[in-house]
Amino acid sequence: MKTFELLRREFTAKLRSDPLSFLIILLSLTLSLAVLFPISAYLKDETKQLSGAAQDMATYYFNVFPQSSSEAGKSLELFDEVFFSGKYPETRQCHDKPVFRIFSDEGFVPFISWNVYTDEVSSLDRSERWREDSEGGWFTDPQFKGRDDAAVVSVKDYPAVKPGDRISILGREAEVIAVSEETNILPWGFIKNTREGAACFGVDSFTCVFSRPLNSKELSSLRESGIAEIHSQIEITGSGYIVSILLLIAVLGGLLFITVMNIRNLFIHVFRRDAYRTAVMKACGCGAGKLLLTIYAFPFIICTAAYLLGLAAHLCFFDGFLSERLGYAPLNAAEYLLIYALALLFLFIVLLPAARRTIRSSVTERRLWR
């Protein structure tokens, strides 16, 4: 009770001695926090975009352009290493689905593109979409399941073919199980193991997202084939993320610095005016802990009152208007409390040197009594 009474008297004395400073500090803090709330909400929404950096780091472009059957064979080995060897992280998604064509060193090969079907790597398949666009059976049907010699062909490339017919690809026959509008599909086993003389399948460029970024050893191993240029998406977008991070730090840090330093100067003005009372309390035997408590009680109460006023102004007048026009999600209760805690923390930290100087002041110093 004695401590509470001491704090009450100290706070009342400060208000009576300089009510104008109290009003200026309260208004400054209220306006600063009312501005800080929407800016924090907007910056929080912007930081969500930075979460895409993790996916960009795990996204790789495999630029493969075979020009001969030997290069086409190497491209199949690369494809097999990436998706089926188990040496590399799991592929969670393929933005650009791999497309296969036939390459040969001997004469002209018809330009027909093939998609790959595999039940081992789901990221390679668009089974549901492909099946909806085709008429006939499917690779998962009991009579075709596990067969490599099955194919889905398009009416564009095979206008006279219907389900049940057999077609020859690189000297090997495959049964047509369905006909689609534009898509040609072969099982991976057929693509990998079928060749005729110098002709074989090869894969064009593709983009895939791994479960994690490749390490330097894995990346070097994939580049050893010399058939593909491999680039991470972060190499393209990294500079944009760096600029965004620096901008967020500059805006939020600058705002906090200006706010805290402005308020610090206002509170120090009050400290200096009332330093004689602290010196007298010290001379009368008041301990350092209680002195700090009396010094910080005033900033704590004013900051709390300003926070509540600023929050009320923000929620009643600014939040709905700004969030609708700037397109950011409002802060939740935990985030509002975090701002309050950070505001108090920074304020107490910057006031600590001034509070220590006030405590160390001697009652005999003339400047205290001017």
Side-chain angles (χ1 to χ4, degrees):
M1 291 298 295
K2 290 182 179 180
T3 302
F4 178 78
E5 181 63 21
L6 176 63
L7 293 176
R8 187 190 66 79
R9 290 182 179 181
E10 186 69 13
F11 184 74
T12 304
K14 282 183 169 60
L15 293 183
R16 288 177 178 175
S17 66
D18 200 348
L20 184 60
S21 294
F22 161 73
L23 184 61
I24 292 174
I25 292 172
L26 183 63
L27 289 176
S28 297
L29 267 173
T30 300
L31 291 175
S32 297
L33 289 169
V35 171
L36 186 61
F37 291 135
I39 291 180
S40 298
Y42 178 75
L43 293 180
K44 184 201 77 169
D45 203 64
E46 285 293 304
T47 57
K48 292 180 180 178
Q49 300 180 14
L50 299 179
S51 62
Q55 178 161 321
D56 285 356
M57 292 174 66
T59 302
Y60 290 85
Y61 296 98
F62 289 79
N63 296 322
V64 189
F65 298 100
Q67 300 300 316
S68 64
S69 61
S70 61
E71 292 182 355
K74 290 182 179 180
S75 72
L76 291 184
E77 293 174 4
L78 173 68
F79 187 85
D80 190 60
E81 281 277 306
V82 171
F83 292 101
F84 302 100
S85 69
K87 299 178 182 178
Y88 304 96
E90 177 189 0
T91 55
R92 292 182 173 172
Q93 187 178 359
C94 280
H95 292 311
D96 302 328
K97 295 299 178 184
V99 174
F100 295 82
R101 294 186 292 118
I102 296 174
F103 294 85
S104 174
D105 296 333
E106 301 174 0
F108 174 75
V109 177
F111 188 89
I112 298 178
S113 297
W114 295 88
N115 290 287
V116 62
Y117 171 80
T118 171
D119 55 3
E120 300 176 47
V121 184
S122 59
S123 61
L124 293 175
D125 294 333
R126 290 179 178 168
S127 296
E128 294 301 322
R129 187 184 305 177
W130 285 337
R131 190 167 190 176
E132 289 175 359
D133 294 339
S134 63
E135 296 181 2
W138 195 248
F139 298 101
T140 55
D141 293 347
Q143 64 270 36
F144 305 120
K145 191 171 184 179
R147 286 179 52 180
D148 284 347
D149 61 339
V152 176
V153 300
S154 67
V155 295
K156 179 181 68 173
D157 296 316
Y158 294 89
V161 172
K162 59 184 181 298
D165 290 349
R166 302 189 72 85
I167 59 174
S168 178
I169 306 172
L170 292 179
R172 182 181 176 186
E173 286 194 347
E175 180 180 350
V176 177
I177 62 174
V179 176
S180 70
E181 290 294 327
E182 297 181 345
T183 307
N184 301 299
I185 310 170
L186 284 172
W188 168 240
F190 189 100
I191 292 174
K192 177 183 178 182
N193 300 317
T194 301
R195 63 171 54 240
E196 184 180 32
C200 67
F201 284 95
V203 64
D204 280 346
S205 300
F206 58 93
T207 304
C208 60
V209 183
F210 291 101
S211 58
R212 62 166 175 80
L214 299 174
N215 58 43
S216 58
K217 183 178 180 180
E218 292 167 339
L219 199 55
S220 298
S221 176
L222 288 173
R223 286 172 172 164
E224 281 179 0
S225 65
I227 194 63
E229 294 181 1
I230 307 172
H231 301 285
S232 172
Q233 174 71 11
I234 199 66
E235 296 176 19
I236 301 172
T237 59
S239 59
Y241 286 119
I242 293 174
V243 171
S244 297
I245 292 171
L246 293 177
L247 183 62
L248 290 175
I249 293 173
V251 172
L252 190 57
L255 180 63
L256 284 172
F257 178 79
I258 293 171
T259 300
V260 171
M261 292 306 295
N262 181 42
I263 297 167
R264 170 187 175 276
N265 293 333
L266 291 171
F267 277 119
I268 287 177
H269 170 70
V270 175
F271 285 180
R272 288 173 178 170
R273 287 179 62 92
D274 295 339
Y276 69 94
R277 281 203 300 273
T278 305
V280 171
M281 292 170 62
K282 180 181 178 183
C284 293
C286 187
K290 191 168 290 187
L291 287 176
L292 275 175
L293 182 62
T294 59
I295 290 173
Y296 275 123
F298 180 71
F300 175 78
I301 294 172
I302 299 301
C303 281
T304 302
Y307 174 84
L308 294 174
L309 290 173
L311 181 60
H314 168 67
L315 294 177
C316 294
F317 303 107
F318 306 122
D319 191 38
F321 174 83
L322 292 175
S323 63
E324 181 180 345
R325 281 157 180 76
L326 296 179
Y328 64 80
L331 299 173
N332 56 41
E335 289 163 342
Y336 282 121
L337 288 176
L338 178 61
I339 292 176
Y340 173 66
L342 289 175
L344 288 180
L345 176 64
F346 287 131
L347 182 63
F348 285 5
I349 289 174
V350 298
L351 287 179
L352 185 59
R356 285 177 174 174
R357 283 195 298 270
T358 302
I359 291 175
R360 291 170 182 170
S361 298
S362 173
V363 71
T364 59
E365 294 184 27
R366 293 180 59 188
R367 63 181 179 83
L368 302 179
W369 303 94
R370 292 174 183 172

